[in-house]
Amino acid sequence: MNEEKDFYERLKNELNKVEEFPTDFVYKFIIPTSNKTMAEIQQIFDGARPQVATRESKKGKYTSITVRIFALDADQVIFYYKKVGEIKGVIML
């Protein structure tokens, strides 16, 4: 648990160095193609009025998801990373 806390503290510091909040922020995920998983991710971002784009792999086994939101601060960015991280099978880029 401590490693996870350290990771998110470092991420917050880096975000604050490279981003000027508020700003548009882009998340990228890869999932095994699944309507259920896609719906879970969309539900997480529902309150943030996201722009969502998807693209299936050539054989349709995986789907890449790009989510763009207007983020107010680094804490908001991290909040969504943590929520999506709870979904099994999601690869966060």
Side-chain angles (χ1 to χ4, degrees), residues 18-76:
V18 298
E19 299 288 349
E20 192 171 315
F21 290 99
T23 190
D24 283 337
F25 190 83
V26 176
Y27 296 86
K28 294 196 178 264
F29 310 108
I30 296 175
I31 62 169
T33 299
S34 160
N35 289 335
K36 181 180 182 252
T37 305
M38 178 74 70
E40 287 180 81
I41 291 172
Q42 288 179 329
Q43 185 177 11
I44 287 170
F45 286 98
D46 196 35
R49 294 191 276 165
Q51 296 174 347
V52 180
T54 61
R55 184 172 178 206
E56 274 193 21
S57 63
K58 198 177 231 182
K59 295 182 180 180
K61 188 173 180 180
Y62 295 97
T63 299
S64 66
I65 305 169
T66 302
V67 179
R68 180 183 303 270
I69 67 165
F70 186 72
L72 300 176
D73 57 29
D75 289 325
Q76 185 181 20

